[in-house]
Amino acid sequence: MSKRQRKKKMREEKWEASAEERRLKRIKKRKEIKEKRRMEKKMGIFKKPPRRRECEQIPSPMRVVIDESFDDLMMEKEIKSMVSQITHCYSYNRQSLHPVKLYCTSFGSKTKAAFEDKVSDYERWRKSEIIFESKPYEKFFENEKENLVYLTADSPNTIDTFDETKIYIIGGIVDKNRYKNLTLEKANKQNIATARLPINENIKMSSRKVLTVNHMFKIIVNFLETKNWEKSLMDVLPQRKFNQDKNSASESKTNDSDNESKVNDEGEEDHNNNENSNEEILEEVISTSTISNSNNDHSSTSNLKETSESIVTNTTTEES
């Protein structure tokens, strides 16, 4: 075992050993927030935060598909990460100025089981903002094959803007880049158009251009609002992915091993930070689900609150 592998193993063991401590901290924090809100309500100074952005939403006719046909290629922890990423996408869509029609196709097997276990109220999510479909996209949209565009970092075609009459597909897989050209080869076999985001043309990145599903989706809805690629990308991608100095290529080669170790350490820090981010997203989904289903049985909302703790604990945001 190499020195880097030993360090990675030690970090993982440390992370697992502190799981119970982190869980208790989250419970304590939630109790403190509830108590603070209770006191503010009692004093008459509590103001409920807006669940949507203040500006009026203008829905986009564009359709975005998350292709969930890769369940058999993912490990259990990657399936859990995918559930978290889809939850983020749903939340982003609800908050965006131009929400799109979001579909999860080939939805079944492991991902569906993970949703039913961790986010049991997902079936109550608004059908106008996300649709879970068991059919693969090529059958669900079989009469619109000419409008399908698979977004993949391996495509030779660069997209300049989004055609809102098209159906853009995102590969729903977390694999840490184990499967090279997976989505590109699938699209080519099906004779479906492919495209990649203009990342190289707008920003300089110090790491791979493969993005997580929620990052891809957030960039899409950002661009529909801003029409500016650089802003859309910079607002979403983690800062460590950018080159701070365009002329530092030779220096980075000399210190390659040190840089990679630094990235690993940052990754662990991001894992801790993302835990809070995931919890905020799930709290928002819980809140909006409660409001939109106020006439339904409130026990389902209670179940979602109970499962939010579990999904935040087990989810790791995967970045390629």
Side-chain angles (χ1 to χ4, degrees):
M1 184 181 291
S2 66
K3 183 178 179 181
R4 186 180 302 168
Q5 289 174 328
R6 286 197 300 272
K7 285 184 177 180
K8 182 178 179 181
K9 185 177 180 180
M10 289 174 61
R11 284 195 298 269
E12 290 176 348
E13 290 175 350
K14 183 179 177 181
W15 176 258
E16 292 174 0
S18 61
E20 181 64 16
E21 181 183 352
R22 296 195 310 274
R23 187 183 73 85
L24 293 175
K25 283 183 179 180
R26 287 195 300 274
I27 292 175
K28 182 180 178 181
K29 183 178 179 181
R30 281 198 293 271
K31 286 182 178 179
E32 290 174 351
I33 292 173
K34 285 182 179 179
E35 181 62 21
K36 181 181 178 182
R37 288 177 180 173
R38 189 184 68 80
M39 293 299 297
E40 288 178 348
K41 287 180 180 179
K42 188 176 181 180
M43 298 170 64
I45 60 174
F46 175 73
K47 291 184 179 180
K48 190 172 183 179
R51 66 185 180 94
R52 282 186 180 266
R53 50 194 303 162
E54 296 180 358
C55 55
E56 184 179 353
Q57 289 183 309
I58 305 173
S60 167
M62 195 172 87
R63 290 161 288 180
V64 177
V65 174
I66 300 176
D67 176 17
E68 288 296 311
S69 64
F70 305 106
D71 277 11
D72 293 338
L73 301 179
M74 290 188 284
M75 296 180 287
E76 182 180 356
K77 65 179 182 179
E78 294 169 341
I79 293 288
K80 291 177 181 178
S81 178
M82 180 52 57
V83 170
S84 176
Q85 291 182 34
I86 294 173
T87 303
H88 277 69
C89 292
Y90 173 68
S91 180
Y92 296 154
N93 206 31
R94 288 183 63 83
Q95 298 174 38
S96 65
L97 179 61
H98 301 296
V100 300
K101 295 180 180 179
L102 179 61
Y103 298 83
C104 284
T105 59
S106 298
F107 184 72
S109 186
K110 298 178 183 178
T111 303
K112 184 176 181 180
F115 260 100
E116 291 174 348
D117 181 44
K118 304 299 181 184
V119 197
S120 58
D121 253 18
Y122 76 93
E123 292 182 343
R124 291 190 174 204
W125 291 358
R126 294 187 174 184
K127 297 297 188 293
S128 60
E129 290 165 341
I130 187 168
I131 294 175
F132 294 95
E133 174 56 51
S134 60
K135 293 181 181 179
Y137 61 81
E138 63 269 23
K139 290 186 177 179
F140 191 74
F141 298 106
E142 60 182 349
N143 295 326
E144 299 183 73
K145 187 175 180 179
E146 69 280 2
N147 290 328
L148 296 174
V149 180
Y150 214 120
L151 297 176
T152 170
D154 301 310
S155 175
N157 310 311
T158 304
I159 198 169
D160 295 321
T161 187
F162 290 110
D163 181 348
E164 297 191 41
T165 65
K166 299 291 186 181
I167 305 168
Y168 293 96
I169 306 167
I170 302 173
I173 183 169
V174 178
D175 66 341
K176 292 190 176 180
N177 213 26
R178 291 195 304 272
Y179 305 104
K180 305 293 184 180
N181 300 319
L182 179 67
T183 52
L184 178 64
E185 290 175 358
K186 178 178 180 178
N188 288 340
K189 287 179 181 179
Q190 296 175 337
N191 293 320
I192 292 173
T194 64
R196 66 173 180 84
L197 301 184
I199 296 177
N200 291 336
E201 293 77 7
N202 290 274
I203 60 174
K204 299 295 182 182
M205 290 178 63
S206 58
S207 62
R208 292 167 296 181
K209 312 299 186 294
V210 182
L211 308 178
T212 60
V213 171
N214 53 301
H215 282 167
M216 283 284 290
F217 184 80
K218 186 68 181 294
I219 291 168
I220 290 173
V221 294
N222 275 9
F223 183 79
L224 291 178
E225 178 178 346
T226 66
K227 304 299 182 184
N228 184 312
W229 280 116
E230 183 177 358
K231 178 173 175 54
S232 299
L233 293 165
M234 295 289 288
D235 286 350
V236 174
L237 300 180
Q239 192 63 37
R240 72 174 185 279
K241 281 184 171 284
F242 306 132
N243 280 329
Q244 299 298 323
D245 183 358
K246 294 181 180 180
N247 298 320
S248 62
S250 60
E251 182 180 350
S252 66
K253 288 181 181 179
T254 304
N255 301 300
D256 183 62
S257 59
D258 292 338
N259 288 339
E260 288 181 355
S261 177
K262 182 179 179 182
V263 169
N264 286 335
D265 292 338
E266 289 176 344
E268 182 178 6
E269 181 180 349
D270 283 347
H271 187 92
N272 295 329
N273 294 335
N274 281 333
E275 190 172 71
N276 293 329
S277 174
N278 285 340
E279 187 168 351
E280 292 172 2
I281 292 292
L282 287 165
E283 287 289 343
E284 180 186 352
V285 173
I286 291 170
S287 175
T288 54
S289 177
T290 303
I291 294 171
S292 63
N293 297 286
S294 59
N295 295 326
N296 295 324
D297 185 357
H298 292 280
S299 64
S300 295
T301 304
S302 176
N303 291 336
L304 182 56
K305 289 180 180 179
E306 293 172 0
T307 57
S308 66
E309 178 186 324
S310 175
I311 188 172
V312 172
T313 303
N314 290 292
T315 300
T316 301
T317 302
E318 303 289 348
E319 294 181 2
S320 300

